[in-house]
Amino acid sequence: MGVEIRAARPGDASCLAALSIQVWLSTYVTDGVRRDMANYVLSEFTPANFEALIADPAHHLLVMEQDDFLIGYALLKRDSRCQGCDFATVEVERLYLVESRSGEGLGRRLLEAARRWALALPEPARLWLTVWHGNERAIAFYRRLEMDVHGECYFELEGARHLNYVMLDSASVGAALIAADV
């Protein structure tokens, strides 16, 4: 069976939580688990939190699955403006893919589905996201998909600040203009 991308349903919540924990830990826990990391993961990535996100009209959650296995997802936030942008934007709060499927072009497909969704909004929007400055693989991935560093921000975890880059989608600029009939 092929890979399917669809809108998340409440029944996906536990799989979304488990996948999130796996991806977050493999990305950010490089020297072992600290209490702040464990507390964050166990409080942030819960089925209840995902059920709330799925029900929230300010969010749109795309899931990618194959043979009834969740292999990735993109969490999009409609009302999150990119600082310094005077046009419509949608934040990609997370784009997570199970590690074992990396390198198959699935992340590209998921980001393209997010772009199509954002461009189909009543006010077509460009994507933006933040990425940890130490995640060189993700930064290279987003650059290959025509996202450029637009600025910097910080992710705070129990008082510690972690530098992130703000990346802005340049691939959908032309498509957004066409969709807006400019």
Side-chain angles (χ1 to χ4, degrees), residues 9-175:
R9 298 185 288 257
D12 297 320
S14 61
C15 290
L16 287 162
L19 176 64
S20 298
I21 291 169
Q22 183 266 319
V23 171
W24 200 92
L25 290 174
S26 70
T27 302
Y28 301 111
V29 177
T30 56
D31 299 322
V33 179
R34 288 191 325 253
R35 183 174 328 205
D36 59 345
M37 295 171 167
N39 290 340
Y40 176 78
V41 165
L42 294 174
S43 65
E44 179 70 19
F45 301 125
T46 67
N49 284 352
F50 277 100
E51 287 170 1
L53 287 169
I54 292 166
D56 181 3
H59 285 90
H60 185 66
L61 211 159
L62 294 170
V63 298
M64 177 180 269
E65 62 184 7
Q66 185 173 28
D67 300 327
D68 294 324
F69 288 97
L70 179 74
I71 56 177
Y73 74 89
L75 176 61
L76 308 171
K77 188 172 185 189
R78 297 176 201 225
D79 61 356
S80 182
R81 289 285 207 209
C82 181
Q83 188 172 7
C85 294
D86 60 355
F87 43 83
T89 58
V90 167
E91 181 180 5
V92 179
E93 285 189 322
R94 291 183 206 121
L95 192 135
Y96 283 3
L97 184 67
V98 70
E99 180 75 23
S100 64
R101 301 300 299 269
S102 180
E104 296 180 30
L106 299 174
R108 173 184 296 271
R109 286 181 60 188
L110 199 48
L111 189 65
E112 287 300 326
R115 281 177 172 149
R116 285 190 302 278
W117 179 83
L119 290 171
L121 292 171
E123 183 180 8
R126 288 170 58 185
L127 300 178
W128 71 278
L129 55 86
T130 63
V131 60
W132 177 49
H133 82 283
N135 192 344
E136 295 174 11
R137 191 168 98 182
I139 294 166
F141 166 76
Y142 292 123
R143 285 184 186 274
R144 283 192 308 274
L145 295 178
E146 300 181 62
M147 296 192 81
D148 303 312
V149 174
H150 176 72
E152 296 178 350
C153 67
Y154 291 89
F155 173 75
E156 291 195 27
L157 184 60
E158 294 191 10
R161 294 174 47 147
H162 304 276
L163 177 64
N164 280 5
Y165 295 132
V166 176
M167 300 191 77
L168 180 63
D169 189 5
S170 60
S172 61
V173 173

